[in-house]
Amino acid sequence: MDKEAAHQVAGFRDQKAQSRQIGAKWHGGPLARITAPTLVLHGEGDPLLRVAAARDIAGAVPDARLRTLPGVGHFLTRDVWAAYAGELRALADRADEQAQFDGLTRR
């Protein structure tokens, strides 16, 4: 049984949904305005969004870090939780270190 079916998710292979995403434009604010520490996590096996999209996002956000995970698709399954948690912990630690360096303190 594949991961999507096991979790009752059917949209990953929905051709109409995928075709709507191809060439979709970002309608939010400019990504270059983001000043918060940013981590772009992306599964290299994502059938919906290409790794190039993750690279574009990371490239548009100042000082963003891109981390791609081999063998990971679009769905965040239990077997990758530890990897994602580790990446988020590292992001939080770097942000905390930067805040201390900048003279800011924790609340």
Side-chain angles (χ1 to χ4, degrees), residues 40-86:
V40 179
L41 290 170
H42 192 83
E44 291 178 7
D46 188 332
L48 294 180
L49 299 170
R50 294 186 174 112
V51 175
R55 286 190 193 108
D56 289 346
I57 292 167
V61 178
D63 301 317
R65 182 171 183 264
L66 171 64
R67 173 76 162 93
T68 61
L69 299 172
V72 175
H74 190 78
F75 196 58
L76 180 60
T77 57
R78 183 180 297 265
D79 57 325
V80 296
W81 289 358
Y84 273 66

mmCIF file of all heavy atoms in Angstrom, residues 40-86:
data_model
loop_
_atom_site.group_PDB
_atom_site.id
_atom_site.type_symbol
_atom_site.label_atom_id
_atom_site.label_comp_id
_atom_site.label_asym_id
_atom_site.label_seq_id
_atom_site.Cartn_x
_atom_site.Cartn_y
_atom_site.Cartn_z
ATOM 1 N N VAL A 40 14.053 26.175 3.739
ATOM 2 C CA VAL A 40 13.196 25.564 2.732
ATOM 3 C C VAL A 40 13.529 24.070 2.727
ATOM 4 O O VAL A 40 14.643 23.686 2.370
ATOM 5 C CB VAL A 40 13.426 26.179 1.334
ATOM 6 C CG1 VAL A 40 12.541 25.503 0.295
ATOM 7 C CG2 VAL A 40 13.174 27.684 1.371
ATOM 8 N N LEU A 41 12.575 23.255 3.155
ATOM 9 C CA LEU A 41 12.737 21.803 3.175
ATOM 10 C C LEU A 41 11.951 21.221 2.014
ATOM 11 O O LEU A 41 10.788 21.575 1.809
ATOM 12 C CB LEU A 41 12.190 21.226 4.482
ATOM 13 C CG LEU A 41 12.977 21.520 5.744
ATOM 14 C CD1 LEU A 41 12.184 21.098 6.969
ATOM 15 C CD2 LEU A 41 14.307 20.811 5.713
ATOM 16 N N HIS A 42 12.581 20.297 1.280
ATOM 17 C CA HIS A 42 11.907 19.753 0.111
ATOM 18 C C HIS A 42 12.333 18.321 -0.134
ATOM 19 O O HIS A 42 13.520 18.004 -0.066
ATOM 20 C CB HIS A 42 12.234 20.602 -1.118
ATOM 21 C CG HIS A 42 11.381 20.301 -2.295
ATOM 22 N ND1 HIS A 42 10.133 20.841 -2.450
ATOM 23 C CD2 HIS A 42 11.577 19.505 -3.365
ATOM 24 C CE1 HIS A 42 9.604 20.397 -3.582
ATOM 25 N NE2 HIS A 42 10.465 19.568 -4.148
ATOM 26 N N GLY A 43 11.368 17.468 -0.407
ATOM 27 C CA GLY A 43 11.659 16.085 -0.753
ATOM 28 C C GLY A 43 12.083 15.977 -2.208
ATOM 29 O O GLY A 43 11.398 16.493 -3.094
ATOM 30 N N GLU A 44 13.200 15.316 -2.450
ATOM 31 C CA GLU A 44 13.702 15.189 -3.817
ATOM 32 C C GLU A 44 12.795 14.339 -4.701
ATOM 33 O O GLU A 44 12.834 14.450 -5.917
ATOM 34 C CB GLU A 44 15.118 14.616 -3.802
ATOM 35 C CG GLU A 44 16.127 15.585 -3.223
ATOM 36 C CD GLU A 44 17.530 15.016 -3.159
ATOM 37 O OE1 GLU A 44 17.773 13.899 -3.677
ATOM 38 O OE2 GLU A 44 18.390 15.689 -2.576
ATOM 39 N N GLY A 45 11.950 13.523 -4.085
ATOM 40 C CA GLY A 45 11.038 12.688 -4.851
ATOM 41 C C GLY A 45 9.630 13.233 -4.920
ATOM 42 O O GLY A 45 8.689 12.498 -5.232
ATOM 43 N N ASP A 46 9.448 14.510 -4.641
ATOM 44 C CA ASP A 46 8.123 15.127 -4.651
ATOM 45 C C ASP A 46 7.530 15.065 -6.052
ATOM 46 O O ASP A 46 8.101 15.619 -6.990
ATOM 47 C CB ASP A 46 8.231 16.578 -4.192
ATOM 48 C CG ASP A 46 6.888 17.249 -3.980
ATOM 49 O OD1 ASP A 46 5.905 16.870 -4.638
ATOM 50 O OD2 ASP A 46 6.823 18.171 -3.147
ATOM 51 N N PRO A 47 6.383 14.390 -6.212
ATOM 52 C CA PRO A 47 5.784 14.280 -7.541
ATOM 53 C C PRO A 47 5.004 15.520 -7.964
ATOM 54 O O PRO A 47 4.633 15.650 -9.120
ATOM 55 C CB PRO A 47 4.836 13.084 -7.400
ATOM 56 C CG PRO A 47 4.428 13.112 -5.976
ATOM 57 C CD PRO A 47 5.638 13.601 -5.221
ATOM 58 N N LEU A 48 4.766 16.445 -7.039
ATOM 59 C CA LEU A 48 3.983 17.648 -7.363
ATOM 60 C C LEU A 48 4.843 18.874 -7.615
ATOM 61 O O LEU A 48 4.544 19.670 -8.502
ATOM 62 C CB LEU A 48 2.998 17.961 -6.229
ATOM 63 C CG LEU A 48 1.895 16.946 -6.001
ATOM 64 C CD1 LEU A 48 1.006 17.391 -4.852
ATOM 65 C CD2 LEU A 48 1.072 16.761 -7.259
ATOM 66 N N LEU A 49 5.846 19.065 -6.798
ATOM 67 C CA LEU A 49 6.688 20.257 -6.902
ATOM 68 C C LEU A 49 8.126 19.841 -7.157
ATOM 69 O O LEU A 49 8.695 19.064 -6.391
ATOM 70 C CB LEU A 49 6.612 21.094 -5.619
ATOM 71 C CG LEU A 49 5.225 21.611 -5.265
ATOM 72 C CD1 LEU A 49 5.226 22.206 -3.873
ATOM 73 C CD2 LEU A 49 4.767 22.624 -6.289
ATOM 74 N N ARG A 50 8.684 20.357 -8.188
ATOM 75 C CA ARG A 50 10.064 20.015 -8.525
ATOM 76 C C ARG A 50 11.036 20.662 -7.546
ATOM 77 O O ARG A 50 10.756 21.702 -6.960
ATOM 78 C CB ARG A 50 10.376 20.475 -9.943
ATOM 79 C CG ARG A 50 9.584 19.731 -10.981
ATOM 80 C CD ARG A 50 10.051 20.132 -12.378
ATOM 81 N NE ARG A 50 9.378 19.308 -13.364
ATOM 82 C CZ ARG A 50 8.484 19.769 -14.218
ATOM 83 N NH1 ARG A 50 8.165 21.039 -14.216
ATOM 84 N NH2 ARG A 50 7.919 18.955 -15.076
ATOM 85 N N VAL A 51 12.200 20.049 -7.438
ATOM 86 C CA VAL A 51 13.248 20.595 -6.580
ATOM 87 C C VAL A 51 13.630 22.002 -7.042
ATOM 88 O O VAL A 51 13.965 22.861 -6.239
ATOM 89 C CB VAL A 51 14.473 19.663 -6.542
ATOM 90 C CG1 VAL A 51 15.617 20.286 -5.759
ATOM 91 C CG2 VAL A 51 14.099 18.311 -5.928
ATOM 92 N N ALA A 52 13.521 22.248 -8.325
ATOM 93 C CA ALA A 52 13.833 23.582 -8.863
ATOM 94 C C ALA A 52 12.959 24.650 -8.218
ATOM 95 O O ALA A 52 13.415 25.778 -7.999
ATOM 96 C CB ALA A 52 13.666 23.598 -10.374
ATOM 97 N N ALA A 53 11.710 24.321 -7.899
ATOM 98 C CA ALA A 53 10.827 25.290 -7.235
ATOM 99 C C ALA A 53 11.363 25.628 -5.845
ATOM 100 O O ALA A 53 11.346 26.796 -5.437
ATOM 101 C CB ALA A 53 9.409 24.737 -7.140
ATOM 102 N N ALA A 54 11.841 24.625 -5.142
ATOM 103 C CA ALA A 54 12.420 24.867 -3.817
ATOM 104 C C ALA A 54 13.673 25.729 -3.932
ATOM 105 O O ALA A 54 13.895 26.631 -3.121
ATOM 106 C CB ALA A 54 12.739 23.540 -3.128
ATOM 107 N N ARG A 55 14.469 25.455 -4.945
ATOM 108 C CA ARG A 55 15.676 26.274 -5.165
ATOM 109 C C ARG A 55 15.295 27.720 -5.457
ATOM 110 O O ARG A 55 15.929 28.652 -4.968
ATOM 111 C CB ARG A 55 16.492 25.706 -6.321
ATOM 112 C CG ARG A 55 17.236 24.453 -5.974
ATOM 113 C CD ARG A 55 18.219 24.072 -7.109
ATOM 114 N NE ARG A 55 18.690 22.727 -6.879
ATOM 115 C CZ ARG A 55 18.332 21.669 -7.596
ATOM 116 N NH1 ARG A 55 17.509 21.798 -8.619
ATOM 117 N NH2 ARG A 55 18.808 20.477 -7.316
ATOM 118 N N ASP A 56 14.261 27.912 -6.269
ATOM 119 C CA ASP A 56 13.809 29.269 -6.596
ATOM 120 C C ASP A 56 13.341 30.004 -5.345
ATOM 121 O O ASP A 56 13.644 31.183 -5.149
ATOM 122 C CB ASP A 56 12.677 29.237 -7.620
ATOM 123 C CG ASP A 56 13.142 28.818 -9.006
ATOM 124 O OD1 ASP A 56 14.372 28.804 -9.265
ATOM 125 O OD2 ASP A 56 12.272 28.489 -9.836
ATOM 126 N N ILE A 57 12.587 29.304 -4.504
ATOM 127 C CA ILE A 57 12.089 29.925 -3.268
ATOM 128 C C ILE A 57 13.263 30.298 -2.364
ATOM 129 O O ILE A 57 13.349 31.425 -1.876
ATOM 130 C CB ILE A 57 11.109 28.992 -2.537
ATOM 131 C CG1 ILE A 57 9.824 28.857 -3.358
ATOM 132 C CG2 ILE A 57 10.806 29.502 -1.121
ATOM 133 C CD1 ILE A 57 8.917 27.734 -2.894
ATOM 134 N N ALA A 58 14.165 29.351 -2.150
ATOM 135 C CA ALA A 58 15.321 29.624 -1.291
ATOM 136 C C ALA A 58 16.172 30.759 -1.863
ATOM 137 O O ALA A 58 16.705 31.582 -1.108
ATOM 138 C CB ALA A 58 16.153 28.360 -1.117
ATOM 139 N N GLY A 59 16.274 30.818 -3.184
ATOM 140 C CA GLY A 59 17.044 31.882 -3.809
ATOM 141 C C GLY A 59 16.394 33.243 -3.711
ATOM 142 O O GLY A 59 17.065 34.270 -3.742
ATOM 143 N N ALA A 60 15.082 33.277 -3.564
ATOM 144 C CA ALA A 60 14.350 34.543 -3.491
ATOM 145 C C ALA A 60 14.300 35.123 -2.085
ATOM 146 O O ALA A 60 14.053 36.313 -1.917
ATOM 147 C CB ALA A 60 12.925 34.348 -4.010
ATOM 148 N N VAL A 61 14.512 34.281 -1.082
ATOM 149 C CA VAL A 61 14.464 34.735 0.315
ATOM 150 C C VAL A 61 15.894 34.997 0.782
ATOM 151 O O VAL A 61 16.736 34.093 0.734
ATOM 152 C CB VAL A 61 13.798 33.678 1.226
ATOM 153 C CG1 VAL A 61 13.807 34.136 2.676
ATOM 154 C CG2 VAL A 61 12.378 33.386 0.765
ATOM 155 N N PRO A 62 16.192 36.216 1.236
ATOM 156 C CA PRO A 62 17.553 36.521 1.665
ATOM 157 C C PRO A 62 18.044 35.561 2.753
ATOM 158 O O PRO A 62 17.349 35.301 3.734
ATOM 159 C CB PRO A 62 17.444 37.948 2.219
ATOM 160 C CG PRO A 62 16.234 38.513 1.551
ATOM 161 C CD PRO A 62 15.296 37.358 1.366
ATOM 162 N N ASP A 63 19.216 35.023 2.542
ATOM 163 C CA ASP A 63 19.893 34.149 3.512
ATOM 164 C C ASP A 63 19.132 32.869 3.841
ATOM 165 O O ASP A 63 19.374 32.246 4.877
ATOM 166 C CB ASP A 63 20.218 34.907 4.805
ATOM 167 C CG ASP A 63 21.118 36.102 4.552
ATOM 168 O OD1 ASP A 63 22.081 35.964 3.766
ATOM 169 O OD2 ASP A 63 20.858 37.171 5.125
ATOM 170 N N ALA A 64 18.207 32.470 2.992
ATOM 171 C CA ALA A 64 17.468 31.234 3.232
ATOM 172 C C ALA A 64 18.404 30.044 3.040
ATOM 173 O O ALA A 64 19.341 30.083 2.252
ATOM 174 C CB ALA A 64 16.276 31.115 2.286
ATOM 175 N N ARG A 65 18.115 28.988 3.759
ATOM 176 C CA ARG A 65 18.867 27.736 3.631
ATOM 177 C C ARG A 65 17.957 26.711 2.979
ATOM 178 O O ARG A 65 16.811 26.546 3.387
ATOM 179 C CB ARG A 65 19.299 27.255 5.012
ATOM 180 C CG ARG A 65 20.117 25.981 4.968
ATOM 181 C CD ARG A 65 20.703 25.681 6.347
ATOM 182 N NE ARG A 65 21.540 24.514 6.265
ATOM 183 C CZ ARG A 65 21.131 23.282 6.556
ATOM 184 N NH1 ARG A 65 19.897 23.073 6.956
ATOM 185 N NH2 ARG A 65 21.944 22.266 6.455
ATOM 186 N N LEU A 66 18.467 26.021 1.970
ATOM 187 C CA LEU A 66 17.723 24.971 1.288
ATOM 188 C C LEU A 66 18.256 23.624 1.742
ATOM 189 O O LEU A 66 19.460 23.392 1.753
ATOM 190 C CB LEU A 66 17.873 25.098 -0.223
ATOM 191 C CG LEU A 66 17.317 23.940 -1.062
ATOM 192 C CD1 LEU A 66 15.798 23.823 -0.896
ATOM 193 C CD2 LEU A 66 17.697 24.113 -2.515
ATOM 194 N N ARG A 67 17.349 22.745 2.106
ATOM 195 C CA ARG A 67 17.712 21.362 2.459
ATOM 196 C C ARG A 67 16.778 20.447 1.703
ATOM 197 O O ARG A 67 15.559 20.505 1.869
ATOM 198 C CB ARG A 67 17.566 21.162 3.968
ATOM 199 C CG ARG A 67 17.760 19.743 4.434
ATOM 200 C CD ARG A 67 19.240 19.357 4.447
ATOM 201 N NE ARG A 67 19.437 18.186 5.264
ATOM 202 C CZ ARG A 67 19.445 16.939 4.801
ATOM 203 N NH1 ARG A 67 19.280 16.721 3.521
ATOM 204 N NH2 ARG A 67 19.625 15.932 5.614
ATOM 205 N N THR A 68 17.344 19.631 0.808
ATOM 206 C CA THR A 68 16.546 18.640 0.095
ATOM 207 C C THR A 68 16.825 17.279 0.711
ATOM 208 O O THR A 68 17.934 16.991 1.133
ATOM 209 C CB THR A 68 16.862 18.622 -1.408
ATOM 210 O OG1 THR A 68 18.224 18.287 -1.606
ATOM 211 C CG2 THR A 68 16.547 19.965 -2.049
ATOM 212 N N LEU A 69 15.787 16.465 0.760
ATOM 213 C CA LEU A 69 15.899 15.149 1.373
ATOM 214 C C LEU A 69 15.695 14.073 0.315
ATOM 215 O O LEU A 69 14.611 13.956 -0.261
ATOM 216 C CB LEU A 69 14.878 15.003 2.494
ATOM 217 C CG LEU A 69 15.039 16.006 3.634
ATOM 218 C CD1 LEU A 69 13.871 15.923 4.595
ATOM 219 C CD2 LEU A 69 16.330 15.760 4.375
ATOM 220 N N PRO A 70 16.728 13.267 0.055
ATOM 221 C CA PRO A 70 16.602 12.203 -0.932
ATOM 222 C C PRO A 70 15.601 11.146 -0.477
ATOM 223 O O PRO A 70 15.488 10.855 0.705
ATOM 224 C CB PRO A 70 18.016 11.621 -1.034
ATOM 225 C CG PRO A 70 18.779 12.159 0.116
ATOM 226 C CD PRO A 70 18.040 13.335 0.657
ATOM 227 N N GLY A 71 14.859 10.619 -1.431
ATOM 228 C CA GLY A 71 13.902 9.558 -1.127
ATOM 229 C C GLY A 71 12.624 10.026 -0.467
ATOM 230 O O GLY A 71 11.776 9.220 -0.107
ATOM 231 N N VAL A 72 12.462 11.325 -0.311
ATOM 232 C CA VAL A 72 11.273 11.883 0.340
ATOM 233 C C VAL A 72 10.394 12.511 -0.726
ATOM 234 O O VAL A 72 10.886 13.198 -1.623
ATOM 235 C CB VAL A 72 11.666 12.929 1.412
ATOM 236 C CG1 VAL A 72 10.446 13.588 2.009
ATOM 237 C CG2 VAL A 72 12.520 12.278 2.493
ATOM 238 N N GLY A 73 9.092 12.265 -0.626
ATOM 239 C CA GLY A 73 8.144 12.818 -1.575
ATOM 240 C C GLY A 73 7.472 14.064 -1.038
ATOM 241 O O GLY A 73 8.053 14.820 -0.258
ATOM 242 N N HIS A 74 6.239 14.257 -1.429
ATOM 243 C CA HIS A 74 5.476 15.434 -1.033
ATOM 244 C C HIS A 74 4.862 15.279 0.356
ATOM 245 O O HIS A 74 4.644 16.257 1.062
ATOM 246 C CB HIS A 74 4.358 15.670 -2.065
ATOM 247 C CG HIS A 74 3.650 16.971 -1.916
ATOM 248 N ND1 HIS A 74 4.190 18.154 -2.354
ATOM 249 C CD2 HIS A 74 2.453 17.281 -1.375
ATOM 250 C CE1 HIS A 74 3.341 19.135 -2.092
ATOM 251 N NE2 HIS A 74 2.279 18.637 -1.505
ATOM 252 N N PHE A 75 4.607 14.055 0.733
ATOM 253 C CA PHE A 75 3.906 13.771 1.981
ATOM 254 C C PHE A 75 4.895 13.627 3.133
ATOM 255 O O PHE A 75 5.886 12.917 3.023
ATOM 256 C CB PHE A 75 3.102 12.477 1.793
ATOM 257 C CG PHE A 75 2.042 12.252 2.826
ATOM 258 C CD1 PHE A 75 1.031 13.178 3.019
ATOM 259 C CD2 PHE A 75 2.049 11.107 3.592
ATOM 260 C CE1 PHE A 75 0.039 12.971 3.960
ATOM 261 C CE2 PHE A 75 1.063 10.888 4.538
ATOM 262 C CZ PHE A 75 0.055 11.818 4.721
ATOM 263 N N LEU A 76 4.649 14.323 4.227
ATOM 264 C CA LEU A 76 5.529 14.280 5.400
ATOM 265 C C LEU A 76 5.157 13.067 6.251
ATOM 266 O O LEU A 76 4.239 13.116 7.065
ATOM 267 C CB LEU A 76 5.388 15.574 6.207
ATOM 268 C CG LEU A 76 6.237 15.698 7.461
ATOM 269 C CD1 LEU A 76 7.715 15.603 7.130
ATOM 270 C CD2 LEU A 76 5.945 17.018 8.155
ATOM 271 N N THR A 77 5.861 11.976 6.045
ATOM 272 C CA THR A 77 5.567 10.731 6.750
ATOM 273 C C THR A 77 6.431 10.595 8.000
ATOM 274 O O THR A 77 7.470 11.245 8.133
ATOM 275 C CB THR A 77 5.802 9.524 5.829
ATOM 276 O OG1 THR A 77 7.143 9.559 5.354
ATOM 277 C CG2 THR A 77 4.840 9.537 4.654
ATOM 278 N N ARG A 78 5.991 9.740 8.875
ATOM 279 C CA ARG A 78 6.658 9.532 10.161
ATOM 280 C C ARG A 78 8.155 9.240 10.016
ATOM 281 O O ARG A 78 8.952 9.693 10.834
ATOM 282 C CB ARG A 78 5.969 8.410 10.920
ATOM 283 C CG ARG A 78 6.531 8.154 12.294
ATOM 284 C CD ARG A 78 5.806 7.019 12.995
ATOM 285 N NE ARG A 78 4.415 7.321 13.227
ATOM 286 C CZ ARG A 78 3.930 7.841 14.369
ATOM 287 N NH1 ARG A 78 4.730 8.093 15.364
ATOM 288 N NH2 ARG A 78 2.645 8.081 14.493
ATOM 289 N N ASP A 79 8.535 8.530 8.977
ATOM 290 C CA ASP A 79 9.940 8.152 8.833
ATOM 291 C C ASP A 79 10.868 9.334 8.564
ATOM 292 O O ASP A 79 12.088 9.198 8.686
ATOM 293 C CB ASP A 79 10.121 7.064 7.770
ATOM 294 C CG ASP A 79 9.585 7.447 6.403
ATOM 295 O OD1 ASP A 79 8.565 8.153 6.329
ATOM 296 O OD2 ASP A 79 10.178 7.021 5.396
ATOM 297 N N VAL A 80 10.340 10.504 8.219
ATOM 298 C CA VAL A 80 11.193 11.683 8.010
ATOM 299 C C VAL A 80 11.004 12.751 9.087
ATOM 300 O O VAL A 80 11.651 13.790 9.035
ATOM 301 C CB VAL A 80 10.993 12.300 6.605
ATOM 302 C CG1 VAL A 80 11.425 11.331 5.529
ATOM 303 C CG2 VAL A 80 9.583 12.758 6.393
ATOM 304 N N TRP A 81 10.159 12.475 10.073
ATOM 305 C CA TRP A 81 9.932 13.465 11.132
ATOM 306 C C TRP A 81 11.230 13.853 11.824
ATOM 307 O O TRP A 81 11.469 15.031 12.092
ATOM 308 C CB TRP A 81 8.937 12.945 12.162
ATOM 309 C CG TRP A 81 7.533 12.855 11.681
ATOM 310 C CD1 TRP A 81 7.028 13.218 10.464
ATOM 311 C CD2 TRP A 81 6.423 12.347 12.416
ATOM 312 N NE1 TRP A 81 5.675 12.959 10.398
ATOM 313 C CE2 TRP A 81 5.283 12.428 11.581
ATOM 314 C CE3 TRP A 81 6.287 11.822 13.684
ATOM 315 C CZ2 TRP A 81 4.034 12.014 11.995
ATOM 316 C CZ3 TRP A 81 5.026 11.411 14.097
ATOM 317 C CH2 TRP A 81 3.919 11.509 13.261
ATOM 318 N N ALA A 82 12.072 12.894 12.136
ATOM 319 C CA ALA A 82 13.315 13.194 12.859
ATOM 320 C C ALA A 82 14.223 14.108 12.034
ATOM 321 O O ALA A 82 14.825 15.036 12.572
ATOM 322 C CB ALA A 82 14.036 11.913 13.239
ATOM 323 N N ALA A 83 14.322 13.844 10.741
ATOM 324 C CA ALA A 83 15.155 14.684 9.873
ATOM 325 C C ALA A 83 14.610 16.110 9.828
ATOM 326 O O ALA A 83 15.367 17.077 9.953
ATOM 327 C CB ALA A 83 15.231 14.092 8.469
ATOM 328 N N TYR A 84 13.297 16.250 9.660
ATOM 329 C CA TYR A 84 12.692 17.575 9.636
ATOM 330 C C TYR A 84 12.865 18.276 10.981
ATOM 331 O O TYR A 84 13.201 19.462 11.030
ATOM 332 C CB TYR A 84 11.204 17.490 9.274
ATOM 333 C CG TYR A 84 10.944 17.507 7.793
ATOM 334 C CD1 TYR A 84 11.361 16.463 6.981
ATOM 335 C CD2 TYR A 84 10.271 18.564 7.191
ATOM 336 C CE1 TYR A 84 11.124 16.471 5.619
ATOM 337 C CE2 TYR A 84 10.031 18.577 5.831
ATOM 338 C CZ TYR A 84 10.457 17.530 5.051
ATOM 339 O OH TYR A 84 10.226 17.560 3.703
ATOM 340 N N ALA A 85 12.643 17.557 12.058
ATOM 341 C CA ALA A 85 12.792 18.151 13.395
ATOM 342 C C ALA A 85 14.226 18.614 13.627
ATOM 343 O O ALA A 85 14.452 19.691 14.189
ATOM 344 C CB ALA A 85 12.368 17.151 14.471
ATOM 345 N N GLY A 86 15.177 17.818 13.183
ATOM 346 C CA GLY A 86 16.582 18.203 13.327
ATOM 347 C C GLY A 86 16.908 19.471 12.555
ATOM 348 O O GLY A 86 17.629 20.346 13.051
#
